Amino acid sequence: MTTQFIGKSQSRVDGPRKVSGGARYAADFNQPGQAYAVIVSATAGLGRISGMETAAVERMPGVLAVITHRNAEKLPYLPHKAGIDPAIGERLHVLQDDEVRFFGQPVALIVAETLDQAERAVAALRISYEVRQPLVDPTGSGAEQVVPEAGRAGSRIPADRARGDADGALAGAAVTVDETYTMARENHNPMEPHATVAAWSGDRLTLWSKSQYLVNEQAEIAAVFGLPVENVEVICPFVGGAFGTSLRTWPHVTLAALAARRVRRPVKLVLTRKQMFFTTGHRPRTMQRIALGATKEGKLKGIIHEGAGETSRHEQFMEALTAVTDYMYSCPNVRTRYRLVQLDTGTPNHMRGPGESSGMFALESAIDELSYKLGIDPIELKRRNEPEVDETEGKPFSSRSLMQCYTLGAERFGWARRNPEPRSMRDGRLLIGMGVASATYPAFHAPSSARVRLLASGVAEVEAAASDMGPGTYTSMTQVAAEFLGLPLERVRFRLGRTDYPQTPSHGGSWTMASVGSAIRAACIEAQTQAARLAVADAGSPVAGASLDDLEWSDGRLRRRGETTPGPSYQDIVAKRGVSIEAGGSAQRDPEVAAKYSMHSFGAVFAEVAVDPDVGTIRVRRIVGAYGIGRVVNPLLARSQCTGGMVGGMSMALMEQTALDPRDGRPVNAHMADYLMPVNLDIPHMEAHFVDEVDPHVNPLGVKGLGEIALVGTAPAIANAVFHATGKRVRNLPIRIEDMLTS
Ligand code: MOS
């Protein structure tokens, strides 16, 4: 497909609005007469509320309501589950009983005239608890690994899967690695906090709310309040980063609506940074065992991957932790096992590269360990075990360019300059290390719809209820629409972020371009066909009476194929007709194609670190990634997404960790000072490269998706580089200075 806009770098169409302050985020949608709600978060880890002194607080200046389980309206909470909700368990029902299930659970809500008055009232409210000891350590005593109930065979995330006899193969293998890898809990910590402004008009509710999945927030809140779906509207034109935390509809949305109904005024509710560590999901802490058995020549004979992740007591959150091991390497004997540990904490949630990034940390660390045991370069080891097909089910890959990624990445990174001997490379006092790891993520595609309107002004309006949490959806979708309409970018207005636009899947799973982009393409083609039909039916048109097959569009004008005389433009056709042309389109993956191919993106990530042997500080100097992700719609934004993902992977490797107090499950570092994340000075030189990859199977656009894969592979590449620099293998993330100083 020769393209005019797809595949071209284009800076953000919404950039000027963002830098000039014109972009409005959820909390910016102030409403007339608005009151302010602040959540009171439980300060006990488990138990029940035994007393609340609300009377004095109710009399404080400006206080409009103190809502607790005693006086909150009973909400219907009709059954509702979306794909992003855990299949097993039930969401937290807020202020419906006196139970405290985890530290930070909302136990009351104070509504006041001003934010300050609400905060003062929260500080004055006294609540007593009957406490029990919560279980908050997934490795501690009392922690039990359970089989995920939704992990039956055939599930994308199976609890158990095996081919051949992995245990037998390991026992007989010439060289083995058998190690345990653990990773800390992480919180998403986007810049924009969760926020909802709720306003009722009779039994209709409008929510200006931070969301990666508007149509589900609409449906879920409708179910919680027992309303028809069409009575709820969600508006969210901009998202200030989310990384998965806004995929689900968390309790604060319900609370904002509840408060607005109680005080009969619009209510604004913004979570504090601290509260974003309680009820809005986190990357689960994971414990993984990887066992590898290989021949002396480095041929894998057996792989075992046993992983467990934490979840809450009330929901079984699952992620594809061990599934990567099923298809990364060619190996006749593979056994994977996935378990959950249910804790008295909030429910985890998808966080960028969920499952895959944690699973690949373990797998790619172990493969690196094996490479040293064998004395084989890790890239060569991967090459010797590169599969022809996805050996899980024997299906061909729709495309797999992993080895091309290694060739390209190694060349750009300068892998050949690496001395394979650990602790052999120095820069003055500093120990230099180079590490490498593979990245992978499924190429998903979910059903989506979109709408195109061709206006008499010559402008095309394109709409979908999608989100743009930062990757550049506004821009890339504008490019897709311009491409398939044959209009210049300035003539396309792409809108998202409203539930009255056509429905889309969640803005996650790296599937927005595959799904929404394909729907926009379909809508554009339909609009174009309608316009052409009108033109040929118009006796006065230069294309009158032509067959549609003999016509083509060029620069937004219709003409007879092969002729140069320009025919009518969209504008001419619409002006003549008198009303705009409107077309809907939808797209979903052909189930036959889906059954035939294994569809994943792949990449190779290279990292260079410098470790100070005296004080143990680790500096990442360079990260180079090479990716095979099918068609790249906008190389500029794609690179930007990748470098963002690399920063996330680097902070997974060296910084991020939510520490819980074992006594009550309180996150002890629930603020930006102690929850470490990279700042500009930490950011290394980063490069993202893309191999030319054509995938005719994934979707009509040939895109495999980008986003999640950018984080996957970075942490193990860094951990492997740290080993190469120091000879010290750290199997627990984040790697800390202390790990460098102790033996
Ligand atoms: Mo991504 S974790 O699906 O926002």
Side-chain angles (χ1 to χ4, degrees), residues 587-673:
Q588 66 181 72
R589 182 168 278 159
D590 178 346
E592 273 181 39
V593 178
K596 228 156 102 184
Y597 295 99
S598 172
M599 304 183 189
H600 302 270
S601 291
F602 295 93
V605 187
F606 296 78
E608 180 182 318
V609 301
V611 181
D612 186 317
D614 298 320
V615 292
T617 47
I618 304 165
R619 279 263 168 206
V620 179
R621 289 191 161 181
R622 294 189 295 140
I623 304 175
V624 174
Y627 305 93
I629 56 166
R631 188 189 297 279
V632 177
V633 172
N634 183 327
L636 179 71
L637 294 183
R639 271 196 290 274
S640 164
Q641 274 214 71
C642 286
T643 54
M646 288 170 184
V647 172
M650 174 185 141
S651 79
M652 171 189 267
L654 302 176
M655 296 180 172
E656 288 187 67
Q657 144 160 250
T658 304
L660 303 184
D661 189 318
R663 291 169 299 180
D664 56 10
R666 157 197 328 244
V668 295
N669 57 341
H671 49 86
M672 295 307 226

Side-chain angles (χ1 to χ4, degrees), residues 212 242-245 247 350-354 441 469 507-510 708:
Q212 289 172 254
F243 316 119
T245 184
L247 285 166
H350 299 293
M351 178 166 165
R352 216 147 188 221
Y441 195 77
M469 66 173 143
H507 182 43
S510 300
E708 322 284 341

Side-chain angles (χ1 to χ4, degrees), residues 187-319:
N187 279 87
H188 305 70
N189 274 306
M191 235 191 280
E192 184 198 9
H194 288 270
T196 301
V197 178
W200 291 88
S201 168
D203 62 352
R204 302 183 68 85
L205 173 65
T206 303
L207 299 165
W208 292 268
S209 190
K210 181 183 182 183
S211 176
Q212 289 172 254
Y213 197 1
L214 285 84
V215 299
N216 182 57
E217 182 151 321
Q218 173 190 40
E220 178 170 332
I221 294 299
V224 169
F225 285 86
L227 298 167
V229 172
E230 55 280 9
N231 283 26
V232 180
E233 184 185 18
V234 181
I235 298 169
C236 179
F238 287 95
V239 174
F243 316 119
T245 184
S246 293
L247 285 166
R248 291 194 76 187
T249 306
W250 299 107
H252 63 275
V253 183
T254 298
L255 290 171
L258 190 78
R261 190 140 89 172
R262 169 67 65 91
V263 301
R264 299 175 180 277
R265 287 164 62 170
V267 163
K268 184 198 274 196
L269 195 170
V270 182
L271 293 194
T272 61
R273 179 61 55 181
K274 188 173 178 178
Q275 287 171 335
M276 288 174 60
F277 285 77
F278 299 155
T279 55
T280 55
H282 51 269
R283 189 194 298 282
R285 203 171 143 184
T286 50
M287 294 74 64
Q288 303 178 72
R289 172 195 172 211
I290 303 264
L292 305 173
T295 63
K296 287 202 181 78
E297 294 71 40
K299 184 72 201 83
L300 284 166
K301 285 295 170 199
I303 307 178
I304 296 170
H305 188 168
E306 297 173 334
E310 59 182 7
T311 186
S312 67
R313 200 72 82 171
H314 55 285
E315 286 175 306
Q316 290 195 346
F317 169 78
M318 296 173 70
E319 58 179 15

Side-chain angles (χ1 to χ4, degrees), residues 152-210:
R152 59 201 165 269
S155 156
R156 186 180 90 79
I157 305 176
D160 294 279
R161 191 147 62 183
R163 58 176 186 260
D165 172 14
D167 297 84
L170 250 108
V175 183
T176 58
V177 166
D178 192 343
E179 297 291 350
T180 298
Y181 304 85
T182 52
M183 290 172 71
R185 173 187 289 212
E186 296 177 357
N187 279 87
H188 305 70
N189 274 306
M191 235 191 280
E192 184 198 9
H194 288 270
T196 301
V197 178
W200 291 88
S201 168
D203 62 352
R204 302 183 68 85
L205 173 65
T206 303
L207 299 165
W208 292 268
S209 190
K210 181 183 182 183

Side-chain angles (χ1 to χ4, degrees), residues 57-127:
V57 174
E58 278 163 359
R59 290 192 300 270
M60 286 177 70
V63 171
L64 299 168
V66 179
I67 309 174
T68 71
H69 67 278
R70 293 177 184 156
N71 65 2
E73 60 179 299
K74 290 297 158 217
L75 294 171
Y77 274 101
L78 302 178
H80 173 83
K81 276 219 195 286
I84 39 98
D85 293 317
I88 304 298
E90 176 60 22
R91 65 179 44 67
L92 187 72
H93 291 190
V94 273
L95 305 187
Q96 302 293 296
D97 59 38
D98 63 359
E99 291 279 318
V100 176
R101 291 164 180 82
F102 57 88
F103 190 96
Q105 175 195 312
V107 286
L109 188 69
I110 294 186
V111 196
E113 291 287 347
T114 68
L115 177 61
D116 181 57
Q117 288 168 333
E119 283 174 344
R120 280 165 195 266
V122 168
L125 181 63
R126 293 285 164 263
I127 302 177

Side-chain angles (χ1 to χ4, degrees), residues 368-375 418 420 422 720 723-724 729:
D368 198 64
E369 298 200 44
L370 181 65
S371 79
Y372 287 97
K373 280 200 170 174
L374 291 163
R418 175 179 180 265
N720 294 342
F723 174 77
H724 179 241
R729 178 65 65 178

Side-chain angles (χ1 to χ4, degrees), residues 353-370:
E356 281 80 6
S357 56
S358 307
M360 287 295 274
F361 163 64
L363 179 63
E364 292 299 283
S365 293
I367 290 284
D368 198 64
E369 298 200 44
L370 181 65

